[in-house]
Amino acid sequence: MNTSIWVDYLDREFLDTTFKEWVKSGLVNGLTSNPAIFANALKKDIYKDDFEKLKGKSPKEIYEEIAIKDIQKACDILENCYDEGNDGYASIEVDPRLINDTKGTIDEALRLVDKIQRDNLMIKIPANEAGVKAMETLAKRGININATLVFSPNQAMKAAEAISKGPRTIDGVIS
């Protein structure tokens, strides 16, 4: 049996130190994030320069620019795991305000994939009705999916079915 340990936390300082060490030692082989995790990270002084450079942008634009940079960094740190077939994914969640908007979720996921540009990226999508429809469409387009907010076996099965509609080259996680 293979066991995977994914970290459900990030901030830039953690990525540059502890996370990098854990990945290098083989302790961790993936990372997941969500807006709440980023909200806590952004309270740290390490992001002060980013906030200064992004002055005048909307809160969502600021969040996205910083989140994209950090997820790219996590993907890069995990690249060897990914190349070796040992998970190696980092996931970023679509905007939670899109929870009941299938088209909005798809559009945002595609935009994030385009901006992040890493093969070992997963897009985290809530496993409600709209999200499952988005998962199927995105899986068919070759996007790796991390199904989240799964609270029942029925939800897990629907998410797994949706993800399985994609080519065998994509991966999925039900969390």
Side-chain angles (χ1 to χ4, degrees):
M1 176 173 122
N2 291 334
T3 301
S4 296
I5 299 176
W6 287 32
V7 173
D8 191 25
Y9 173 80
L10 99 151
D11 69 46
R12 195 165 297 150
E13 184 178 55
F14 171 74
L15 290 174
D16 287 334
T17 57
T18 306
F19 182 70
K20 199 178 274 187
E21 292 170 24
W22 286 351
V23 171
K24 188 176 181 181
S25 72
L27 180 64
V28 167
N29 53 343
L31 178 139
T32 186
S33 67
N34 63 45
I37 288 170
F38 277 110
N40 284 330
L42 294 177
K43 294 175 187 172
K44 298 186 174 193
D45 284 343
I46 55 175
Y47 293 100
K48 196 179 340 179
D49 290 343
D50 292 275
F51 282 116
E52 194 61 38
K53 289 176 193 168
L54 298 169
K55 254 186 189 165
K57 295 196 177 223
S58 74
K60 181 170 177 157
E61 289 171 321
I62 293 169
Y63 160 79
E64 268 196 12
E65 288 207 28
I66 293 171
I68 286 168
K69 189 185 297 184
D70 284 3
I71 289 294
Q72 286 173 325
K73 182 179 281 243
C75 285
D76 293 345
I77 293 167
L78 289 161
E79 189 172 21
N80 286 339
C81 290
Y82 177 76
D83 290 343
E84 294 168 1
N86 185 19
D87 291 342
Y89 290 99
S91 71
I92 187 169
E93 189 169 340
V94 295
D95 187 332
R97 294 174 292 192
L98 298 170
I99 194 159
N100 293 312
D101 182 350
T102 300
K103 183 184 180 327
T105 297
I106 293 166
D107 292 346
E108 175 145 320
L110 293 172
R111 191 173 52 73
L112 288 169
V113 166
D114 186 55
K115 284 187 170 201
I116 295 170
Q117 296 189 353
R118 299 294 190 276
D119 291 338
N120 59 334
L121 172 69
M122 277 195 169
I123 300 295
K124 196 171 187 182
I125 300 171
N128 66 342
E129 187 178 334
V132 168
K133 289 176 186 173
M135 287 178 208
E136 182 173 335
T137 298
L138 292 164
K140 287 178 180 176
R141 293 178 99 160
I143 304 211
N144 301 304
I145 305 292
N146 179 343
T148 189
L149 298 177
V150 178
F151 301 110
S152 72
N154 188 40
Q155 268 185 295
M157 292 306 298
K158 286 180 178 181
E161 278 179 37
I163 295 167
S164 74
K165 305 282 175 144
R168 292 185 185 263
T169 55
I170 72 157
D171 282 320
V173 171
I174 312 288
S175 59

